[in-house]
Amino acid sequence: MLLSGIAVKLISAVYKIPLTSYIGAVGRGYFAYAYNLVMPVHIVTMGAFPVALSKLVSSYAAKNDFESVAKLKKSSTKVFFLVGSVSTLILTACAFVYNYYIVKAPQGIYTSLALIPAVLLSCMSGGIRGYYEGMLDMKPTSISQLIEALVKMIFGLLFAKLVCVGLMNEYESSNTVLGHLAENEQTALSMIYPVSSAAAMLGVTLGAALSLCFLWTYSAFFKNNLPSVKASKQYSREILRFAFPIMVSSGVQSVFQFLDSSSIQILLDKTPLPMLKSEFSDALKLTAVIDSDLSTYAYGLHSCALDFKNLIPGVTMALGVCAVPVISRAFDNSDKERLETLASSILKYTAILSSLGGLALFLCSNDILSFLYSSSPDVSPAIDKIVKAYAVSVPVYSIAGTAVFFVQAIGMPQKSILPYAICGVMRVALNYILMSKTSLLLFAPVISGAVGYLVLVLLNLRVFKAKTALRLRLFSCVAAPILLAFVAGFVCNYAFEAAFIIQNGVVSCLTKCVFCSIIYLILCFLCRLLKFSDFFRYFNHKKIPETLANTD
């Protein structure tokens, strides 16, 4: 799962770089608008039902009750199809209101409608993934995620390029785009961006479809020797009953995620044009953007920065996903010693991986952006400092996700509702204060997000400790890895300024990554956060037979 998460995030990053050259930062704005519409529902469905199914399957498997496991698997198909269908209908109805009246970008409707079918496909995939995760088989999730990412990248770029090139050829030959007269190239690009963005989004939906096809095939061949049973309303209700508090918790999260992103869009739209032009003056010298697209352009830059901010938490989330079934089994079996070891290890490795990733991103952001956005030279100067700021706060986002998974694993997802609400209110309030009262603009979401998610971490870990009565070593597991990253960052930054004169951006970036990783890992070994014996134990790990699953 961890390796798959790294590969998926790298593919997503690589995919969005050339995509920006085809659809521009304005097109990225439309792309982000569509995701902001769909993600609240996606978070509710994919954040609740697969986790609930994984938890229930894990609990029954721990008791060797494989007849119940089989009934859960059978019943989940109808449940996930129903949930996905209802979600798709709701989003289709909301798409027009959202694009025309909330973000005031009518052209974004094409991108939204291209993405919405992926919700049903992803929901059905989530049912199969949740079952196998509950059985501690992470291969289906890992492989299906890779397939989805690769298809999205290949066909998304292909569709975007074909549409962009085709419409530009039409403009050059007849001064029209889709039959509508374009006064100049800027106007033509403004008309092309939403269409090419929608074409790219079709690649996302195709990826979700092929991922589901793989999962169906895998499920047909690897049935875990479960008894033959029929779907049962009792088990459907059990999935819904257990998923409901997670759904409410995820719903609160998604609502405030939507309000957070919408507040940024609205505040950027209300920002005076002279301030926007001043803030992005260096970038605007390198690209052509008409005044009416300027707020969408700014939000597109914000979306580009989020790609890097989400890169590392997206990888470490694999640890949280894997934590649900294993912590659930230890908790259900009242194995306090194992539960404490698991929780401490997952927290520690999440902190170490996210701190190292944030450190590398901070030191290499300029090299990475200059290389990846060489075909869109306006992006790098506009978001370099924002990416550095996000890099510092990356561990907070990663640990927040793990803390929420901990609470879900012990069967108390409803306890995450209030923390999510508090986090959301703080983020929206800080966005409004910082963006409307100061000139921070895109730095405001960095600050509001870090503060809000820090509160989310503390409140969820408090719930977990109160329920399990564990002694989580928060300093050695969380604070120490983050502090060592700051020490390593200071050492590396000084060394780079004093000795490194490498002109090639790729070589410079790789050299910095290797150097900072070595320094950071040496510090971790010296402080005994890492031990060689741990690695040998993981390499020698053997899969536990299903018949002994209850011993974990």
Side-chain angles (χ1 to χ4, degrees):
M1 280 285 285
L2 187 62
L3 294 175
S4 170
I6 293 172
V8 167
K9 284 299 175 181
L10 288 175
I11 291 169
S12 296
V14 170
Y15 154 67
K16 289 180 180 177
I17 307 310
L19 177 64
T20 305
S21 67
Y22 294 137
I23 66 177
V26 175
R28 282 297 303 274
Y30 293 122
F31 214 75
Y33 289 161
Y35 270 114
N36 290 339
L37 170 66
V38 169
M39 284 310 294
V41 174
H42 190 268
I43 289 172
V44 171
T45 54
M46 298 303 290
F49 290 94
V51 173
L53 181 60
S54 172
K55 160 69 178 173
L56 290 171
V57 167
S58 175
S59 295
Y60 281 116
K63 302 170 186 174
N64 284 330
D65 185 357
F66 291 103
E67 182 177 351
S68 294
V69 170
K71 290 180 179 179
L72 277 171
K73 182 184 179 184
K74 198 79 172 179
S75 303
S76 67
T77 303
K78 293 182 178 179
V79 172
F80 280 76
F81 177 77
L82 177 63
V83 170
S85 299
V86 171
S87 300
T88 301
L89 292 174
I90 291 173
L91 285 171
T92 303
C94 293
F96 293 91
V97 176
Y98 172 76
N99 284 282
Y100 278 85
Y101 299 106
I102 296 179
V103 297
K104 297 179 181 178
Q107 304 93 326
I109 189 65
Y110 310 120
T111 313
S112 298
L113 293 177
L115 177 61
I116 287 172
V119 174
L120 172 59
L121 299 169
S122 296
C123 200
M124 294 174 68
S125 296
I128 303 173
R129 291 174 180 176
Y131 161 72
Y132 283 105
E133 287 167 12
M135 297 296 288
L136 301 184
D137 182 0
M138 303 299 167
K139 292 189 293 295
T141 299
S142 304
I143 298 172
S144 63
Q145 286 177 342
L146 277 173
I147 292 173
E148 188 171 348
L150 285 168
V151 173
K152 175 179 71 174
M153 178 180 70
I154 295 170
F155 287 94
L157 291 175
L158 176 63
F159 294 159
K161 183 176 181 179
L162 289 175
V163 170
C164 187
V165 171
L167 293 180
M168 279 302 297
N169 288 338
E170 179 190 346
Y171 166 72
E172 290 172 357
S173 62
S174 61
N175 287 333
T176 62
V177 175
L178 294 175
H180 299 284
L181 183 65
E183 297 178 359
N184 50 46
E185 185 176 346
Q186 287 183 329
T187 305
L189 289 173
S190 181
M191 298 166 69
I192 290 171
Y193 287 149
V195 183
S196 57
S197 179
M201 196 64 84
L202 288 175
V204 177
T205 300
L206 180 60
L210 293 182
S211 173
L212 177 59
C213 289
F214 163 77
L215 288 168
W216 276 338
T217 304
Y218 188 94
S219 183
F221 283 96
F222 298 93
K223 300 181 180 180
N224 296 115
N225 297 319
L226 294 177
S228 179
V229 296
K230 294 182 179 180
S232 167
K233 290 183 179 180
Q234 173 190 343
Y235 288 92
S236 297
R237 286 194 295 267
E238 187 171 4
I239 295 171
L240 292 171
R241 185 168 59 250
F242 192 86
F244 183 74
I246 305 178
M247 186 170 63
V248 174
S249 174
S250 300
V252 172
Q253 177 196 9
S254 63
V255 166
F256 282 104
Q257 181 71 37
F258 178 78
L259 292 175
D260 176 57
S261 59
S262 296
S263 67
I264 297 170
Q265 296 167 13
I266 292 168
L267 289 166
L268 284 173
D269 192 52
K270 291 183 177 180
T271 302
L273 286 177
M275 183 179 289
L276 287 174
K277 290 181 178 180
S278 175
E279 178 69 18
F280 304 110
S281 57
D282 291 339
L284 292 173
K285 292 176 183 176
L286 303 171
T287 189
V289 180
I290 61 177
D291 288 353
S292 60
D293 284 339
L294 202 53
S295 62
T296 303
Y297 173 78
Y299 194 76
L301 292 174
H302 170 68
S303 177
C304 291
L306 288 182
D307 291 341
F308 295 92
K309 169 254 178 182
N310 292 330
L311 181 64
I312 298 156
V315 171
T316 58
M317 188 180 71
L319 293 174
V321 171
C322 296
V324 173
V326 294
I327 285 183
S328 172
R329 291 192 183 191
F331 181 74
D332 290 340
N333 292 329
S334 301
D335 190 346
K336 187 174 180 180
E337 182 180 353
R338 177 162 175 75
L339 183 61
E340 184 172 332
T341 301
L342 283 168
S344 298
S345 296
I346 291 168
L347 275 176
K348 181 177 72 173
Y349 288 114
T350 299
I352 289 174
L353 287 170
S354 59
S355 297
L356 178 57
L359 172 62
L361 182 59
F362 180 87
L363 294 172
C364 303
S365 64
N366 186 51
D367 293 326
I368 293 172
L369 290 169
S370 298
F371 172 72
L372 294 178
Y373 285 105
S374 58
S375 58
S376 303
D378 58 305
V379 175
S380 179
I383 67 171
D384 179 41
K385 292 181 179 179
I386 299 170
V387 170
K388 286 183 183 295
Y390 272 127
V392 175
S393 62
V394 154
V396 176
Y397 294 100
S398 295
I399 296 167
T402 299
V404 171
F405 279 120
F406 278 7
V407 174
Q408 293 175 350
I410 60 173
M412 300 186 70
Q414 69 277 6
K415 294 294 184 179
S416 291
I417 296 173
L418 182 59
Y420 270 129
I422 294 173
C423 171
V425 170
M426 293 180 67
R427 290 166 64 192
V428 174
L430 285 173
N431 282 343
Y432 178 79
I433 293 170
L434 296 175
M435 292 184 72
S436 62
K437 307 297 182 183
T438 70
S439 58
L440 288 171
L441 287 184
L442 295 187
F443 284 98
V446 180
I447 299 170
S448 65
V451 173
Y453 274 85
L454 178 60
V455 172
L456 186 66
V457 170
L458 297 175
L459 293 178
N460 277 284
L461 288 182
R462 181 183 177 185
V463 171
F464 183 73
K465 289 180 66 177
K467 181 65 175 178
T468 59
L470 298 181
R471 289 179 61 255
L472 294 177
R473 299 181 294 275
L474 293 182
F475 179 81
S476 60
C477 293
V478 177
I482 296 174
L483 290 174
L484 290 181
F486 279 98
V487 174
F490 177 81
V491 172
C492 293
N493 194 53
Y494 178 80
F496 297 155
E497 290 182 355
F500 279 57
I501 313 176
I502 300 176
Q503 299 299 324
N504 186 289
V506 177
V507 176
S508 174
C509 182
L510 291 175
T511 305
K512 289 178 180 179
C513 285
V514 171
F515 187 77
C516 74
S517 297
I518 291 173
I519 296 297
Y520 181 68
L521 292 176
I522 288 174
L523 290 174
C524 287
F525 278 108
L526 289 176
C527 295
R528 299 185 63 79
L529 292 180
L530 292 175
K531 300 176 184 177
F532 285 108
S533 58
D534 291 339
F535 291 95
F536 289 119
R537 185 171 78 248
Y538 298 143
F539 288 138
N540 291 328
H541 171 72
K542 294 181 180 179
K543 185 174 179 63
I544 299 167
E546 289 179 12
T547 55
L548 301 177
N550 62 320
T551 66
D552 206 21

